[in-house]
Amino acid sequence: MNKEIKKNLKIVKKTLEEARLYGHAASVLNFDRLTACPKKAREAQGDTCAMLTNQAFQLGKEKKFVRAFTYLYENRGDLDKYDQVLARSLYRNYQRTKKITPKMDHEFTLIENKAYVDWLDAKDAADYALFAPSLQAVRDVEMKRISLQKDKKDPPYNSLLDLYERGMSETMLDEAFGECKERMIPFLEKIKASGRQIRTDFLGRTAPVEAQARLAQYLLNLIGYDFDRGALSTTEHPFMDDLAVDDVRVTTHYYENNLVSSMFSVLHEGGHALFGQNTPRAHYKHFIDGEKTLGMHESVSRFYENRIGRSRAFIELTFDKIKELFPELTRDVSPEEFYEAVNLVTPSLIRIEADEFTYTFHIIIRYEMEKEIINHGAKIEDLPKMWDDKYEEYLGVRPSNAREGILQDVHWSDGFGYFPTYALGNMYNAMYYNKMREKYDIDRLIRDGNLDVIRDWMTKHVFKKADRLDAAEWIRDITGRDFTPKDYLDYLEEKFGAIYGL
Ligand SMILES: [Zn+2]
């Protein structure tokens, strides 16, 4: 390694080290704000967080730093495999934001903050008109951001996709979602026509919170979560936060009359956490631990929530524990009934409550609308009808108001392009599940409680290179095949075909 490279690497890493300290402090405060912090102190604590985050942001704008990573990027052929990723990532982000002045950035933030408040009011009142002007403004910000990028993409929506899912394009998604519609719409009709009744009455029975907390602990231990390098807390909305290399935390929310809500959100966030806890240490050392895409992350969380958690084998493995903790709730329930209840297919209006089968429709609807909004300048006032029509077309349900329709999700108050990653996650994990199956009888591993073997396989194949590769390369690296929704669709048809006797 020549002297110039050494010198510039030193500058870059020193800055990143400092930025990481600010970032770490901000994350710890933020975690506290969302969990233990008293309500009245939250706003002030948010201000402290914002100050720390801004310090880190400023560091990233320093000329010396920019010059140093630009040099590294231009000479990336001489860097090791980790620093190559780092140089590429810093350079890409810089290209994306360098024409955005601090003043513009501040204006954008204000627009998004207002949009969030307007969205809350509008949702509360189920009145889209209260949100529409802000939504228009957010769209304008998004278009402005796209126009300021150095490497413009065509169509513009690809710029947004690339932000969340490096290497994914509209063409690939159109094809994948097209196949989904082709197979899933008629299959859903068959499910509806099957007349199969699934018992779910017991799911609403009382499940004491202390017992739910013990179940959460048990489940996290079972999947191989390391409590010495993590913690479990409660919040309004469950999430995972990797605060530091040895501090990857999860949160959940317990509802007394909804046992499965926390049960599956713990598995979901626990999946995210396993990804964080088993990221190679070298990635932290080289500041590339945050390079995994959202789709990769969602693939792992949904793998643990659905492929593992909602499998018959997993319900059989855990049912004794569930019976022991919730004797009243399970007094007249068999493992098979429990399995079927957590896999009930029922077309519904609300994405976050959707079952595993109909979930993808919720994403397809948002994806198709986002393309209309970004690529084709759809009129903001026409969106609610477009939304309702699509729900009717794909799911056979129609919202009776905007709260259960277009206003249900927070995402559009700060931009577009995020939703597809949720569906991609399901498709990725179906592909690597099949790869894992070449080596293991996965159901057998689950029944025997050998979840550590699964975690280790994930570490070796799924987690190892995630930070270093684009999504399309990553899935090819794991499976030896190009991205396809086929495995996912086969899985859905097989699983739900069996449950519904099709
Ligand atoms: Zn998630």
Side-chain angles (χ1 to χ4, degrees):
M1 193 186 293
N2 76 39
K3 249 172 73 187
E4 261 322 278
I5 289 202
K6 252 191 186 151
K7 192 184 95 194
N8 286 299
L9 263 179
K10 212 173 147 192
I11 293 169
V12 165
K13 292 195 174 170
K14 188 169 169 284
T15 305
L16 291 176
E17 187 58 50
E18 203 180 327
R20 178 180 271 174
L21 293 176
Y22 283 117
H24 184 206
S27 316
V28 175
L29 269 180
N30 190 50
F31 188 87
D32 182 89
R33 193 168 66 90
L34 295 170
T35 51
C37 182
K39 204 157 79 186
K40 289 195 170 166
R42 276 182 210 156
E43 199 181 327
Q45 202 159 308
D47 292 346
T48 315
C49 264
M51 185 278 286
L52 290 164
T53 311
N54 194 255
Q55 290 293 322
F57 179 78
Q58 299 285 355
L59 285 171
K61 291 269 176 193
E62 277 177 9
K63 282 212 173 70
K64 202 174 153 194
F65 175 65
V66 174
R67 264 200 309 267
F69 73 66
T70 305
Y71 179 86
L72 294 178
Y73 178 75
E74 283 160 0
N75 295 279
R76 59 193 179 281
D78 298 331
L79 299 171
D80 73 21
K81 62 183 177 186
Y82 303 111
D83 290 333
Q84 275 185 21
V85 174
L86 176 64
R88 203 174 53 211
S89 160
L90 290 169
Y91 188 76
R92 277 164 63 112
N93 291 339
Y94 181 65
Q95 294 306 317
R96 196 174 276 140
T97 56
K98 79 170 174 186
K99 286 196 191 156
I100 298 175
T101 62
K103 186 167 167 275
M104 274 192 241
D105 191 59
H106 185 64
E107 280 167 18
F108 292 172
T109 308
L110 292 183
I111 288 170
E112 285 157 6
N113 288 351
K114 180 171 181 337
Y116 176 68
V117 175
D118 287 349
W119 170 74
L120 282 176
D121 289 344
K123 188 179 177 193
D124 223 30
D127 184 357
Y128 178 73
L130 297 178
F131 182 52
S134 263
L135 185 57
Q136 176 85 49
V138 171
R139 195 249 307 263
D140 294 346
V141 165
E142 204 71 288
M143 298 314 291
K144 177 113 203 214
R145 275 210 181 102
I146 293 172
S147 74
L148 289 170
Q149 283 184 17
K150 197 169 169 238
D151 307 315
K152 283 191 195 51
K153 294 200 164 53
D154 190 40
Y157 190 69
N158 271 345
S159 296
L160 301 177
L161 280 179
D162 196 56
L163 185 61
Y164 299 113
E165 198 66 9
R166 287 189 316 274
M168 188 51 64
S169 70
E170 207 180 287
T171 313
M172 287 162 91
L173 278 179
D174 281 345
E175 212 171 291
F177 287 153
E179 265 178 66
C180 288
K181 288 200 288 191
E182 220 167 89
R183 287 175 62 178
M184 290 174 74
I185 292 175
F187 200 80
L188 181 60
E189 288 311 314
K190 282 195 209 159
I191 291 177
K192 284 191 202 161
S194 75
R196 175 92 169 72
Q197 291 296 319
I198 287 177
R199 200 189 144 198
T200 56
D201 57 299
F202 51 89
L203 293 182
R205 290 177 186 164
T206 303
V209 165
E210 309 85 83
Q212 289 196 51
R214 284 171 59 197
L215 179 67
Q217 198 90 14
Y218 161 81
L219 292 171
L220 287 172
N221 274 319
L222 190 60
I223 62 172
Y225 177 75
D226 181 355
F227 273 95
D228 290 334
R229 300 169 58 224
L232 169 66
S233 307
T234 55
T235 40
E236 186 55 36
H237 302 288
F239 64 91
M240 180 286 291
D241 199 353
D242 32 6
L243 292 90
V245 60
D246 289 314
D247 190 359
V248 181
R249 304 187 197 177
V250 289
T251 71
T252 189
H253 188 105
Y254 302 117
Y255 297 94
E256 268 240 297
N257 59 355
N258 190 350
L259 164 67
V260 292
S261 167
S262 167
M263 176 172 169
F264 290 103
S265 88
V266 159
L267 289 169
H268 181 98
E269 303 308 334
H272 280 306
L274 289 184
F275 204 169
Q277 288 190 328
N278 297 289
T279 288
R281 283 195 174 253
H283 293 198
Y284 285 90
K285 202 171 147 246
H286 290 263
F287 301 94
I288 58 166
D289 51 289
E291 293 299 312
K292 12 181 120 49
T293 69
L294 292 172
M296 293 174 186
H297 239 303
E298 280 302 310
S299 81
V300 179
S301 56
R302 281 157 205 274
F303 177 82
Y304 279 94
E305 176 191 354
N306 292 328
R307 288 307 301 252
I308 304 266
R310 284 192 164 84
S311 70
R312 183 180 271 108
F314 192 77
I315 298 301
E316 284 172 11
L317 168 72
T318 54
F319 201 67
D320 281 347
K321 189 73 184 175
I322 293 170
K323 273 187 96 75
E324 175 198 319
L325 289 167
F326 308 97
E328 260 310 295
L329 188 148
T330 52
R331 64 182 182 265
D332 54 357
V333 183
S334 70
E336 186 60 23
E337 283 173 317
F338 199 89
Y339 166 71
E340 288 184 354
V342 301
N343 284 298
L344 175 80
V345 175
T346 169
S348 65
L349 296 167
I350 307 294
R351 178 184 62 86
I352 58 167
E353 290 163 12
D355 58 80
E356 192 183 356
F357 185 86
T358 58
Y359 189 85
T360 305
F361 289 109
H362 293 261
I363 300 306
I364 293 175
I365 289 168
R366 285 154 181 76
Y367 168 69
E368 292 182 349
M369 291 189 64
E370 288 192 336
K371 285 197 302 176
E372 289 298 318
I373 295 168
I374 298 297
N375 292 341
H376 307 297
K379 287 211 183 86
I380 296 294
E381 70 259 29
D382 294 343
L383 299 179
K385 183 174 180 303
M386 194 190 289
W387 179 287
D388 295 352
D389 288 349
K390 283 186 186 291
Y391 267 81
E392 189 148 10
E393 184 188 347
Y394 296 150
L395 288 162
V397 292
R398 192 171 185 94
S400 61
N401 62 58
R403 189 189 301 132
E404 56 186 36
I406 192 167
L407 292 176
Q408 65 183 270
D409 288 311
V410 62
H411 305 54
W412 287 349
S413 67
D414 72 353
F416 305 88
Y418 192 111
F419 281 115
T421 64
Y422 294 136
L424 285 169
N426 292 329
M427 297 172 188
Y428 293 148
N429 75 34
M431 287 181 72
Y432 58 68
Y433 185 98
N434 285 342
K435 183 71 191 176
M436 194 189 302
R437 193 147 64 178
E438 288 173 12
K439 176 150 189 207
Y440 294 114
D441 178 343
I442 302 174
D443 281 338
R444 158 65 14 103
L445 288 178
I446 297 172
R447 276 199 184 85
D448 293 345
N450 280 329
L451 279 296
D452 287 354
V453 176
I454 293 176
R455 181 204 52 201
D456 293 345
W457 189 92
M458 295 287 282
T459 299
K460 199 167 153 203
H461 299 274
V462 176
F463 305 159
K464 193 176 164 195
K465 295 188 197 162
D467 290 309
R468 281 157 43 201
L469 302 176
D470 286 356
E473 299 167 330
W474 167 79
I475 198 66
R476 203 180 305 121
D477 182 72
I478 303 168
T479 64
R481 297 157 57 213
D482 283 328
F483 169 72
T484 167
K486 187 180 170 300
D487 302 48
Y488 178 58
L489 295 169
D490 290 347
Y491 152 72
L492 287 179
E493 287 177 3
E494 192 187 316
K495 175 176 179 176
F496 293 97
I499 293 174
Y500 284 88
L502 305 173

